[in-house]
Structures are given as C-alpha cells and as structure tokens.
Amino acid sequence: DAQMQPMDGYRLFFEMRQRRLQVPFMLMTAHGAIDHAVDLLRAGACHYLTKPFGVAELLARVRALLRRAPGKDGKDDQGEPVITFGDYRIDCIARTLTRNGEPIKLSQIEYRLLLAMAGNPDRVLTHRQLLVQVWGGQAADNNEYLRVYVGHLRQKIEANPAQPRHIQTEIGVGYRFQP
C-alpha cells in the first residue's frame, strides 16, 4: 500500500526487487493512482487491487497469487499457505498454531511475532524490523515489548525455553528463527 508506514509500499517493492526476493507482490492502490500500479506491474508486481475492496476479495486474490507462485512449497493439500517447523504447523489463513495436531493458544501479538519470524527462516530480523512489523511504527524503539513477547513465545514452543532451538537471539541485533 502506498500509504503504508513507516515505509511506503512502492519503496518496499523496489527494495525487495533489489534484494532479488522472488515473492508474489500485490499492490493496493487508490482509484486515482493507477499510473503507479502500471509502473509497478511493469517492474514485476503480480497484481493490483483498487481501494476500496472487501476482505473476501483480498483473500481470494492472495490465494490466487500464492497458487501461481513457483512450486507448492509453503502450502497444504488445498493450496493454502502454511509454515511448518518441527512438530508445529502454522495455518496462515486460519491464523492457528498446532503441535502434532493439538492447538496452541497464542495472543494476536504472539501470533504476529511468530509469523514474522517463521516467515523468514534462518534470517536475522532486527529488533526494529520486528517491532515495526508486529506493533507498528510507534513501537519501533521499545525493545522491552519484543523481549517480553519473545519470552512468551519461547515458553509456548520451545522444549527448553532457556536453551531455545527455534528462536535464537542475535545479541544486540535481533532474532533468528531456526525451523
């Protein structure tokens, strides 16, 4: 979205392309911003959606983009996006986490934090990146929020939270998620 904060959607798109990240990219644009949509489609965006739109339409278009994405990795038998690690399964549409089929209750913040990290396996995400992605720009400098919620997540998904296997701390930088 062009109005996304703290970085507008156009800049995010071009940064993703500079890093050669090959992910489906759908632009959300106001009706009068079609020229920008055309430029981004020429640059490699997969689709655009004109505001206002309904949630059902957005979800249908995201599913269609994911079906056309290279390979079937990251999807279940019905083509829905899932993330698995160890005995865990995150269903990105149902917004659930299960371990060996048993549901694990997560708060909204815990879920968004887990999804942000698990969606970027083996990659260090800085404190700031996680804070902005999970809480928004207003929390960008409050590492205490992040530390507390990472602790909550470790209690729920780690066999030994004191020696975590999945959520690794990168001292002074952020966290790395190991599937």
Side-chain angles (χ1 to χ4, degrees):
D1 190 331
Q3 297 174 359
M4 185 173 66
Q5 293 295 327
M7 176 190 303
D8 71 62
Y10 303 129
R11 192 165 131 216
L12 173 65
F13 172 76
F14 287 111
E15 282 193 17
M16 289 174 66
R17 287 301 183 244
Q18 270 185 328
R19 295 179 186 176
R20 302 201 190 311
L21 295 175
Q22 296 301 314
V23 296
F25 195 91
M26 179 171 51
L27 169 70
M28 291 182 283
T29 181
H31 181 68
I34 300 301
D35 291 341
H36 292 294
V38 171
D39 291 341
L40 290 175
L41 288 167
R42 285 182 181 142
C46 301
H47 191 63
Y48 76 92
L49 187 60
T50 304
K51 296 184 221 173
F53 53 83
V55 174
E57 180 183 11
L58 173 64
L59 289 174
R61 291 182 185 273
V62 167
R63 287 183 188 117
L65 282 175
L66 292 172
R67 278 194 305 272
R68 290 192 301 263
K72 290 291 277 181
D73 295 321
K75 299 190 185 112
D76 67 11
D77 295 338
Q78 289 79 43
E80 301 295 350
V82 297
I83 299 172
T84 58
F85 61 98
D87 297 331
Y88 296 92
R89 180 180 187 274
I90 303 170
D91 182 324
C92 300
I93 299 297
R95 296 180 56 89
T96 59
L97 172 67
T98 56
R99 180 173 186 209
N100 295 323
E102 294 296 317
I104 296 175
K105 288 227 176 240
L106 296 178
S107 70
Q108 281 189 354
I109 296 289
E110 290 167 344
Y111 177 81
R112 289 198 313 253
L113 181 58
L114 179 61
L115 192 59
M117 290 190 289
N120 293 282
D122 302 315
R123 204 172 140 213
V124 176
L125 296 175
T126 67
H127 297 119
R128 183 173 181 78
Q129 285 174 310
L130 288 167
L131 285 162
V132 168
Q133 190 169 349
V134 175
W135 283 272
Q138 74 279 2
D141 296 318
N142 196 336
N143 291 351
E144 187 63 22
Y145 283 159
L146 186 57
R147 189 183 68 72
V148 167
Y149 278 92
V150 165
H152 292 308
L153 267 181
R154 283 179 172 156
Q155 291 294 322
K156 292 180 178 185
I157 69 167
E158 299 286 0
N160 181 357
Q163 295 182 330
R165 175 178 177 257
H166 299 294
I167 302 174
Q168 303 287 314
T169 300
E170 296 289 333
I171 297 173
V173 179
Y175 297 93
R176 178 189 314 265
F177 187 83
Q178 298 291 346

